[in-house]
Amino acid sequence: MVKRERVVRMSVELPLWRALAGYRVLTMIYAVLLLVFIPDKFERPWVAIVFLAVMGVWTLATLPQVSSAARCTKPFLVADLTVALTGILLTPLADTHAQQIDGPTLPSIWTAGSVLAFAIKGGWRWAAVASSFVAVANIIERGEPSRDTFHNVLLVWIASIAIGYVVEVARASERTLARALEIEAATRERERLARDIHDSVLQVLAMVQRRGAAIGGEAADLGRMAGEQEVALRTLVSSGLVPATRASEDASLGAVVRTVEDDEPDSPPDEYDLRSLLARHAGSRVTLSEPGAPVLLPAASATELAAAVGAALDNVRQHAGQDARTWILVEDWPDEVVVTVRDDGPGIPEGRLAQAEGEGRLGVALSIRGRLRDLGGTAELISVPGQGTEVELKIPRGKAHP
């Protein structure tokens, strides 16, 4: 079955908005309970009842506004802070002794929710402005503020600014991580395209160049032009200028939740038998040794591993000659699959791989090591001049993510 993925972007701010919504509801209930259990505290209880009723309706009606930064608009923030400041300034009207006993205001700790909304929405600067308004309202409400009043005001001011600063840092980190993921995805896509180019176009151009030089005449000119194009294309691939596809642009910190939907029939299988993919390489000069049971791997992992084996065999034909013999050994272990490609050619001189990579010949670097790295595995090359070359490819089971 074909499965299409829908990517849901999730911000690091979402838990903060959820917590703020819960805080507003709980502190609204707390303010109402203060009136219910201490009704005789208020000389004019009707003032407290009217305000708390308005505050309760406002809190419940505006829950959608505190669900995300997009919905928490500036007009809402101003109106919400106005409700909090009104409640603070109405406290002496409902409780004439509030200034003397230094008791809680009508909205009580619900006021902090308004300030926190500013902090989450706009960062520490917005939080500083909102908390300053709350501080002034509290000082006016107390008339002659006590040390406890200054202590509470300072606590709200510092806490809101700190939370606003943390939100700004989290946003900056999210953007940095998203950019890093985009760069990584683009780099992997370029490497994949470079491998495909190496396995097809570059190999053909190299063959045309060799055959043209061997035949001579006009074919030699054709081979020379093919060689020039091979060098130009290798330079383009090694410089990283191969364009990435649109698929690589979908990576970001927010893309962390995926849901699978829309099953469709006639899709390719989820797993391949690695033996069937490698069987096409067997021949008079290539011996394939495999387990008696199927070597099942995820489809993408199996095809990439088989392509890496094909790249290793191409290197044997190109550098060891058509008469070189090659052996492919497949080992299926519980935690990993190991494929070894060994030839009886002349081997690779010391330093030749580094030189080839510097010249833009990236067969081993991209077509072999790059593929195995993307699968979460490793590629080890052992070569002794005069004794052939051995390439050992390993990928872990259940951890390959091409």
Side-chain angles (χ1 to χ4, degrees):
M1 296 201 173
V2 174
K3 297 181 179 179
R4 295 203 299 263
E5 290 186 341
R6 183 177 70 246
V7 179
V8 181
R9 299 188 182 278
M10 179 176 175
S11 171
V12 294
E13 298 176 25
L14 185 58
L16 296 177
W17 289 112
R18 290 175 177 172
L20 177 61
Y23 176 86
R24 288 167 62 87
V25 173
L26 292 177
T27 52
M28 180 267 293
I29 295 174
Y30 173 75
V32 172
L33 291 177
L34 286 179
L35 174 62
V36 171
F37 289 106
I38 319 176
D40 54 349
K41 174 181 181 294
F42 300 96
E43 285 74 13
R44 299 182 183 89
W46 63 269
V47 176
I49 292 173
V50 170
F51 172 77
L52 291 177
V54 172
M55 189 183 79
V57 172
W58 172 261
T59 301
L60 297 177
T62 57
L63 283 178
Q65 271 65 46
V66 292
S67 62
S68 66
R71 294 187 176 185
C72 188
T73 60
K74 291 182 181 179
F76 163 74
L77 290 174
V78 173
D80 195 57
L81 184 61
T82 301
V83 172
L85 298 178
T86 302
I88 294 173
L89 297 177
L90 284 177
T91 301
L93 182 61
D95 181 10
T96 56
H97 299 290
Q99 295 179 336
Q100 286 76 28
I101 63 177
D102 204 19
T105 60
L106 287 179
S108 184
I109 56 177
W110 184 89
T111 304
S114 299
V115 178
L116 291 176
F118 273 84
I120 299 175
K121 172 68 176 181
W124 69 270
R125 294 174 181 84
W126 287 30
V129 173
S131 57
S132 296
F133 276 103
V134 172
V136 171
N138 274 281
I139 292 174
I140 294 174
E141 182 267 332
R142 295 303 177 189
E144 296 180 0
S146 64
R147 183 171 60 182
D148 289 340
T149 300
F150 281 112
H151 172 78
N152 293 334
V153 165
L154 184 62
L155 181 62
V156 172
W157 196 74
I158 294 176
S160 61
I161 290 178
I163 293 175
Y165 179 74
V166 170
V167 170
E168 288 188 0
V169 172
R171 284 175 180 155
S173 300
E174 183 180 22
R175 289 192 296 268
T176 301
L177 181 57
R179 179 57 181 160
L181 290 174
E182 291 175 359
I183 294 174
E184 181 184 8
T187 301
R188 287 182 179 274
E189 183 67 11
R190 289 190 182 97
E191 290 185 355
R192 185 190 67 79
L193 292 175
R195 288 195 296 265
D196 292 342
I197 291 173
H198 178 274
D199 293 347
S200 55
V201 181
L202 291 179
Q203 296 288 354
V204 172
L205 291 175
M207 182 185 69
V208 171
Q209 180 186 19
R210 292 194 302 272
R211 294 296 299 274
I215 296 174
E218 294 183 357
D221 293 334
L222 179 63
R224 178 182 56 78
M225 289 187 290
E228 293 174 354
Q229 294 303 312
E230 179 196 5
V231 172
L233 186 55
R234 287 187 187 276
T235 302
L236 182 65
V237 170
S238 61
S239 65
L241 296 179
V242 178
T245 63
R246 176 66 183 171
S248 66
E249 298 176 3
D250 290 334
S252 71
L253 174 69
V256 295
V257 180
R258 291 180 172 86
T259 57
V260 180
E261 57 180 16
D262 299 337
D263 289 349
E264 299 177 1
D266 302 328
S267 66
D270 293 334
E271 291 185 330
Y272 284 158
D273 183 358
L274 181 63
R275 302 179 309 167
S276 61
L277 297 179
L278 298 181
R280 63 186 181 89
H281 297 300
S284 59
R285 293 288 177 179
V286 178
T287 301
L288 176 62
S289 300
E290 59 189 31
V295 182
L296 298 178
L297 288 172
S301 301
T303 54
E304 284 292 278
L305 181 56
V309 173
L313 293 175
D314 288 339
N315 286 335
V316 173
R317 286 190 289 269
Q318 181 176 351
H319 301 291
Q322 298 293 331
D323 295 333
R325 292 189 58 83
T326 308
W327 294 266
I328 304 174
L329 173 63
V330 182
E331 300 174 88
D332 187 11
W333 300 99
D335 57 342
E336 65 180 0
V337 173
V338 182
V339 179
T340 305
V341 180
R342 189 176 186 279
D343 66 74
D344 62 355
I348 303 175
E350 185 176 355
R352 176 58 185 147
L353 288 179
Q355 179 184 355
E357 187 170 345
E359 296 172 353
R361 299 179 179 274
L362 305 177
V364 174
L366 288 179
S367 293
I368 300 179
R369 289 197 177 118
R371 279 192 166 95
L372 271 293
R373 183 182 63 248
D374 289 348
L375 295 174
T378 59
E380 296 184 9
L381 187 146
I382 302 174
S383 181
V384 178
Q387 299 183 25
T389 302
E390 179 177 302
V391 180
E392 185 179 69
L393 312 174
K394 296 181 180 180
I395 63 168
R397 283 195 170 279
K399 299 181 180 179
H401 300 286

